[in-house]
Each structure stands twice: as C-alpha cells, then as structure tokens.
Amino acid sequence: MTPQRKEILQIFVDSEDGSHLSAEEVYELLRQKDFDFGLATVYRNLELLNELGILNKVDFGDGRTRYELSAANPQLHQHHHLICLNCKKIFEFEDDLLDNLENLISKKSDFEIVNHEVKFFGYCSDCRKRRHNEN
Amino acid sequence: MTPQRKEILQIFVDSEDGSHLSAEEVYELLRQKDFDFGLATVYRNLELLNELGILNKVDFGDGRTRYELSAANPQLHQHHHLICLNCKKIFEFEDDLLDNLENLISKKSDFEIVNHEVKFFGYCSDCRKRRHNEN
DNA sequence: GTTGATGCAAAACTTTTGCAACACG
DNA sequence: CGTGTTGCAAAAGTTTTGCATCAAC
C-alpha cells in the first residue's frame, strides 16, 4: 500500500455513495486535494484495485472506463444501474432477484457465473415530469 | 439509403447470428468484399443505424464499441450476453425473465425502462473442462 | 442548385507502455 | 542490492471532426 494507492482509494471512500469515477476524474479530485500524482499511476492503481476486488469496473458507454467501490459482500449489496437517456444521470437499484436468473443460466447453458453487470436505459421521474409539463 | 449504408447493414445480415462487430471489423469485412468505404463513413453509419433502432450498441469492455442486429420485436428476442473470463468468447442466452424485474423497478423507482443490457461474467463449459483436465 | 453523404487527413481523447529515477526492506 | 512503484513523455488505439468533393433529387 503506497501513499498513492491509499489516497486513490480514499477518493472513493469520501465520494458519495454510488459514485462512478473515471481515471481522469480521480486524477482531478486528487489534484484538488493537492496530491499531484501522475495520471499513469492513477490508471495503474485503479486497475490494480479492481483486480483486488476492491473496486468494480463499470462502463456506461460514455467512452471512458469508470470504477465504483465494490460492496464487501456482493451477495448482500447487488445493485443495478438505471441510466436516464435524457439527463444521463445514473440511479441505483438494489435487488437480488437475479439469483434465479443466474441459476437458470448456469443450468441451461452450462456456464459458471461469477459476476454480472446490468443496465436499464429509460427515463427518470424528473425527466418524464418535465417532458409532460412542456407538452 | 446510400450504397454504403446498404452494404454496412448487409455485413450484419450476412454475419452469423449473434455477431458483435466493431467499426474496424465492419470496415475490414467490407474491404474483403471489395467495398472500399472510408472508415469515418462506417463509424457515422453504425451510429445512424443504431439511432434508427436497426442496430444495437453493445460494449464488452474491450475498448471498442460493438454493434449487433437488433431483433425486429425486442419482446420476442430478448437475450443476455455470457462472457467467458478465460477465452473471452461471448455466448447468448435467450430469456424474458427480466420483464418481472423491469416491472418491479418501474414501480419502486418510478423509472420508465425502454431498454436494458445484461452481461454475465464467468467460465464457459469448455474452459471449465480444460481447467479440470489440467489439474 | 440545394441538401445531405462521403472520403481523407488531421485532431481529439482515453489508455498503455518504456524507461529512468526513486523508495523500501 | 533487488523488487516493485512512480512520473514523465511518447506511443497506441479508437472515435470524431473539418472540409472539399460527390451524388441525388
């Protein structure tokens, strides 16, 4: 655990729940705290923390890889991402209904599942209201 | 419908079911058929076909955006992707169990869902056998 | 003619890599 | 010392953009 590693992880701990930060964003947040690490170091350590299972890689199709703190016990804190197609905000949905689906897939496809990533695209409550008011 | 657009779409129609092609791959397949379109044209038209709902954008985290033919009726042909962490092969799993989950999310989160993307990471049958034999 | 699509090259962005310098046991 | 990490700059890879040209109606 180098100081760099420690501070990169601290960025995630300090960020609000459900933050999905890209390397560049972590780098910027570090600079705001006067930690002037190299960008390459940030990239290398995000990847490392991901391999250690401390961070989760997520991808919202905006051209950059993002990371989030992974729950200590994944079984207890499964969550899916709801992505608003209008305002691009990301919402979280806690759920463990996917267990059934995982079991079904394992049996039917003979595929051993160790992780999953689920994204729902649509329109959030605010954007729907706004659109309704505009009409 | 320009000739370029037509031939790009044809690439997907001719490709085997469940192909997930990147812009570069489409470009290469076109060249093999002696269609020498510009790479930028391929990019522009893949994006266009995606907006028209003819292609679906998918992302397997390999650093490039991929596209697949979207089913005419998405309700009839929902499928999820199983990604083998060892051999990186992509398998498809047909399923409509997610309807339940979508309904639940809509109610609980007040979020209108129009599309979803589900990826399961794990180990395919072949890789599990191979690993077993090696031990 | 006007509008939109193409092709090419350049530019923009994200991510990776090579390598010398550094830190730590 | 030796191993592993960092920082910097350069390189690599994907995607976007500007612009002149082309095609179609």
Side-chain angles (χ1 to χ4, degrees), chain B residues 58-72:
Chain B
V58 285
D59 193 317
F60 297 127
D62 64 345
R64 42 181 92 183
T65 302
R66 296 176 172 280
Y67 296 84
E68 64 182 3
L69 265 185
S70 84

Side-chain angles (χ1 to χ4, degrees), chain B residues 68-135:
Chain B
E68 64 182 3
L69 265 185
S70 84
N73 182 342
Q75 293 304 93
L76 287 178
H77 293 291
Q78 288 197 28
H79 68 279
H80 314 311
H81 294 118
L82 315 183
I83 304 168
C84 180
L85 293 169
N86 189 61
C87 66
K88 311 295 178 195
K89 275 218 240 354
I90 313 283
F91 302 85
E92 313 254 326
F93 184 78
E94 304 274 337
D95 166 71
D96 55 5
L97 288 184
L98 239 56
D99 288 349
N100 294 331
L101 190 49
E102 289 202 359
N103 288 336
L104 185 69
I105 289 174
S106 285
K107 275 184 212 147
K108 272 210 203 173
S109 304
D110 195 13
F111 190 93
E112 179 196 346
I113 297 172
V114 302
N115 201 2
H116 62 239
E117 188 181 321
V118 182
K119 295 179 274 189
F120 293 94
F121 301 94
Y123 297 98
C124 72
S125 153
D126 282 355
C127 286
R128 290 215 316 290
K129 271 184 214 143
R130 203 166 300 133
R131 189 198 310 199
H132 188 259
N133 290 340
E134 281 166 8
N135 292 346

